[in-house]
């Protein structure tokens, strides 16, 4: 498909608490016509199109430069909307929705005929999420109920957490960005696969597989387990072995990546800071500019050309919220090397480490 690169991209500031009706109406008209609108969600900004129109989804792939085998998430505003797009809705989905929707959880179902393969990257399954952001919910309702939306970055760049990030990547390629400033969570939704649960002829449900987390996010494995019992992680998303394929096609790409070479440094705080400071000196002698990602707790131990404090170790949510913006800032500052502290691989830390490891192309040093 031809990429329209010359259109004017309008940034429209919108009120989160009471989205202005005329602004939503204008955005919804674009989507109903098969066009694209970027909009805020609580996780990251999304690039929306009508999920049930093949033409709309095709435009998303073209604007992002996204590989066409990487499926999109369909966003809905009411649980009842699932019936049209999911072939079956297992009881686990209802139980999870009761607790986590609207919110940062995406569930995968076997798809119905209503969902075009252009939206699902050719798969027989469909990913669905009900976001909690009021602007997203209003836009979905006014656009016909089904918005396909990947993160609104160009393929391979960090996900956008502000309207400005979206503009930097997609200016000239989309007509409109709804702007509600910085998002609340900052990393993409947790994805859980429920497509292995199906209905028997007698009406009972059978699980061929334990529900699997395909992408870690704000909703942790522990939180999911509390609601539906046993849940496992896809070995593919955490593996450093390129032969272990993740089940979510998008997780295989080196993604969230800053331009500079990035390394994660693991170990005791003091030693991590010393190691990073030494690298800064060494790189300086080679004429290379180095950026460090540190935390409130370690900021005063670090010496570098550029130091970014990502948040507090005591508050994982603050780390998640700043991660992508910091990777983009390093790009803007022309840094050649990045070193980042490491985080405990539990709760929200799992999602943080997943994104950091991908940004670093899995490069880790233990000190
Ligand atoms: O928080 C989010 O989920 C954001 C906001 C905008 O809602 N969206 C988002 O979309 O992160 P995207 O396209 O950047 O990531 C979607 C991920 C990809 O890794 C894709 O491969 C996976 O979901 N995915 C989508 N449909 C799938 C399916 N049917 N089976 C397996 N993986 C799927
Ligand atoms: Mg993405």
């Amino acid at each position: 498909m031809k990429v329209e690169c010359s259109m004017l991209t309008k940034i429209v500031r919108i009120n989160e608490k009471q989205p202005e009706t005329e602004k939503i109406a204008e955005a919804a008209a674009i989507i109903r016509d098969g066009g694209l609108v970027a909009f805020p969600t609580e996780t990251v900004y999304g690039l929306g199109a009508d999920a049930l129109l093949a033409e709309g989804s095709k435009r998303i792939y073209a604007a992002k430069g996204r590989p066409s085998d990487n499926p999109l998430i369909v966003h809905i505003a009411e649980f009842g909307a699932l019936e049209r797009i999911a072939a079956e809705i297992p009881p686990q989905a209802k139980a999870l929705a009761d607790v986590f929707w609207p919110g940062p959880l995406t569930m995968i179902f076997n798809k119905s005929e209503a969902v075009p393969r252009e939206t699902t990257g050719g798969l027989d399954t469909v990913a669905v999420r009900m976001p909690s952001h009021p602007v997203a919910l209003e836009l979905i309702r006014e656009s016909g109920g089904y918005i396909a939306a990947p993160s609104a970055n160009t393929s391979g760049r960090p996900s956008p957490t502000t309207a400005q990030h979206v503009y930097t990547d997609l200016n000239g390629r989309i007509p409109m960005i709804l702007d509600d400033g910085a998002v609340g969570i900052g990393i993409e939704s947790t994805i859980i696969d429920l497509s292995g649960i199906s209905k028997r002829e007698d009406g009972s449900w059978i699980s061929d597989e334990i529900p699997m987390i395909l992408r870690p996010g704000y909703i942790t494995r522990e939180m999911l387990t509390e609601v539906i019992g046993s849940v496992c992680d896809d070995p593919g998303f955490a593996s450093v072995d390129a032969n272990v394929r993740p089940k979510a096609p998008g997780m295989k790409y080196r993604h969230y990546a800053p331009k500079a070479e990035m390394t994660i440094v693991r170990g005791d705080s003091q030693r991590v800071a010393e190691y990073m400071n030494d690298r800064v000196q060494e790189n300086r002698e080679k004429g290379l500019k180095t950026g460090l990602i540190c935390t409130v707790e370690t900021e005063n131990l670090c010496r570098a050309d550029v130091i970014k404090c990502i948040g507090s170790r005591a508050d994982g949510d603050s780390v998640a919220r700043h991660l992508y913006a910091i990777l983009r800032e390093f790009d803007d500052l022309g840094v050649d090397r990045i070193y980042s502290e490491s985080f405990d691989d539990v709760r929200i830390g799992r999602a943080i480490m997943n994104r950091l490891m991908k940004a670093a192309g899995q490069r880790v040093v233990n000190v």
Side-chain angles (χ1 to χ4, degrees), residues 44 64 66 70 150-153 157 159-160 188 215 255-256:
V44 299
K64 281 185 57 111
R66 180 177 175 110
N70 190 4
S151 49
N153 50 287
R157 294 217 69 205
S159 293
E188 308 84 347
R215 177 172 73 183
H255 200 237
Y256 319 118

Short mmCIF file of all heavy atoms in Angstrom, two decimals, residues 44 64 66 70 150-153 157 159-160 188 215 255-256, ligand 2:
data_model
loop_
_atom_site.label_atom_id
_atom_site.label_comp_id
_atom_site.label_asym_id
_atom_site.label_seq_id
_atom_site.Cartn_x
_atom_site.Cartn_y
_atom_site.Cartn_z
N VAL A 44 0.26 3.15 26.60
CA VAL A 44 1.06 3.95 25.66
C VAL A 44 0.08 4.52 24.64
O VAL A 44 -1.08 4.11 24.61
CB VAL A 44 2.13 3.09 24.93
CG1 VAL A 44 3.12 2.47 25.92
CG2 VAL A 44 1.50 1.98 24.07
N LYS A 64 3.21 2.61 9.98
CA LYS A 64 4.24 2.24 10.96
C LYS A 64 5.45 1.59 10.33
O LYS A 64 6.49 1.45 10.97
CB LYS A 64 3.66 1.22 11.98
CG LYS A 64 2.80 1.82 13.06
CD LYS A 64 2.40 0.75 14.07
CE LYS A 64 3.55 0.03 14.73
NZ LYS A 64 3.74 0.29 16.15
N ARG A 66 5.25 -1.56 9.62
CA ARG A 66 5.20 -2.77 10.47
C ARG A 66 5.13 -4.01 9.60
O ARG A 66 4.37 -4.05 8.62
CB ARG A 66 3.95 -2.68 11.34
CG ARG A 66 3.69 -3.84 12.30
CD ARG A 66 2.46 -3.50 13.10
NE ARG A 66 1.96 -4.51 14.00
CZ ARG A 66 2.03 -4.41 15.34
NH1 ARG A 66 2.63 -3.39 15.91
NH2 ARG A 66 1.48 -5.33 16.10
N ASN A 70 2.63 -9.27 11.89
CA ASN A 70 2.56 -8.90 13.31
C ASN A 70 1.17 -8.37 13.64
O ASN A 70 0.84 -7.24 13.31
CB ASN A 70 3.65 -7.86 13.61
CG ASN A 70 3.79 -7.61 15.10
OD1 ASN A 70 3.14 -8.26 15.92
ND2 ASN A 70 4.63 -6.65 15.46
N PRO A 150 -2.05 -0.67 17.38
CA PRO A 150 -0.72 -0.97 17.91
C PRO A 150 -0.20 0.28 18.60
O PRO A 150 -0.84 1.34 18.54
CB PRO A 150 0.09 -1.25 16.66
CG PRO A 150 -0.51 -0.35 15.62
CD PRO A 150 -1.99 -0.26 15.96
N SER A 151 0.94 0.18 19.25
CA SER A 151 1.58 1.38 19.78
C SER A 151 1.88 2.31 18.60
O SER A 151 2.24 1.85 17.52
CB SER A 151 2.85 1.00 20.53
OG SER A 151 3.65 0.12 19.75
N ALA A 152 1.76 3.63 18.84
CA ALA A 152 1.81 4.59 17.73
C ALA A 152 3.23 5.08 17.41
O ALA A 152 3.45 6.26 17.17
CB ALA A 152 0.89 5.78 18.05
N ASN A 153 4.18 4.15 17.41
CA ASN A 153 5.55 4.48 17.03
C ASN A 153 5.82 3.92 15.63
O ASN A 153 5.08 3.06 15.18
CB ASN A 153 6.52 3.81 18.02
CG ASN A 153 6.21 2.34 18.22
OD1 ASN A 153 5.22 2.01 18.88
ND2 ASN A 153 6.98 1.46 17.63
N ARG A 157 10.93 1.43 16.96
CA ARG A 157 11.27 2.51 17.91
C ARG A 157 10.56 2.28 19.24
O ARG A 157 9.58 1.54 19.31
CB ARG A 157 10.84 3.86 17.34
CG ARG A 157 11.62 4.25 16.10
CD ARG A 157 11.89 5.74 16.08
NE ARG A 157 12.83 6.14 17.10
CZ ARG A 157 12.90 7.37 17.65
NH1 ARG A 157 12.07 8.30 17.29
NH2 ARG A 157 13.81 7.66 18.55
N SER A 159 7.97 2.60 22.21
CA SER A 159 6.56 3.00 22.20
C SER A 159 6.41 4.43 22.70
O SER A 159 7.16 4.87 23.57
CB SER A 159 5.74 2.07 23.11
OG SER A 159 5.72 0.77 22.57
N PRO A 160 5.43 5.17 22.16
CA PRO A 160 5.27 6.57 22.55
C PRO A 160 4.48 6.73 23.83
O PRO A 160 3.41 6.15 24.01
CB PRO A 160 4.47 7.15 21.37
CG PRO A 160 3.76 6.00 20.76
CD PRO A 160 4.50 4.74 21.11
N GLU A 188 3.44 -1.32 27.58
CA GLU A 188 2.27 -1.90 26.94
C GLU A 188 1.58 -2.94 27.84
O GLU A 188 2.18 -3.47 28.76
CB GLU A 188 2.65 -2.57 25.62
CG GLU A 188 3.42 -1.71 24.65
CD GLU A 188 4.90 -1.71 24.93
OE1 GLU A 188 5.33 -2.16 26.01
OE2 GLU A 188 5.65 -1.23 24.06
N ARG A 215 3.22 -11.58 26.73
CA ARG A 215 4.01 -10.35 26.94
C ARG A 215 3.75 -9.88 28.36
O ARG A 215 2.60 -9.68 28.74
CB ARG A 215 3.56 -9.26 25.95
CG ARG A 215 4.28 -7.93 26.15
CD ARG A 215 3.97 -6.93 25.05
NE ARG A 215 2.63 -6.39 25.16
CZ ARG A 215 2.08 -5.53 24.30
NH1 ARG A 215 2.79 -5.13 23.24
NH2 ARG A 215 0.87 -5.08 24.47
N HIS A 255 13.38 -4.33 19.27
CA HIS A 255 12.22 -3.52 19.39
C HIS A 255 12.51 -2.61 20.53
O HIS A 255 13.43 -2.86 21.27
CB HIS A 255 11.17 -4.56 19.77
CG HIS A 255 9.78 -4.23 19.56
ND1 HIS A 255 8.92 -4.27 20.57
CD2 HIS A 255 9.08 -3.91 18.45
CE1 HIS A 255 7.71 -4.01 20.09
NE2 HIS A 255 7.79 -3.79 18.82
N TYR A 256 11.77 -1.58 20.70
CA TYR A 256 11.99 -0.67 21.83
C TYR A 256 13.42 -0.18 21.83
O TYR A 256 14.00 0.13 22.85
CB TYR A 256 11.74 -1.36 23.19
CG TYR A 256 10.56 -2.28 23.24
CD1 TYR A 256 10.70 -3.63 23.51
CD2 TYR A 256 9.28 -1.78 23.03
CE1 TYR A 256 9.59 -4.47 23.56
CE2 TYR A 256 8.18 -2.61 23.09
CZ TYR A 256 8.34 -3.95 23.35
OH TYR A 256 7.27 -4.78 23.41
MG1 LIG B 2 4.38 -1.92 19.75
#
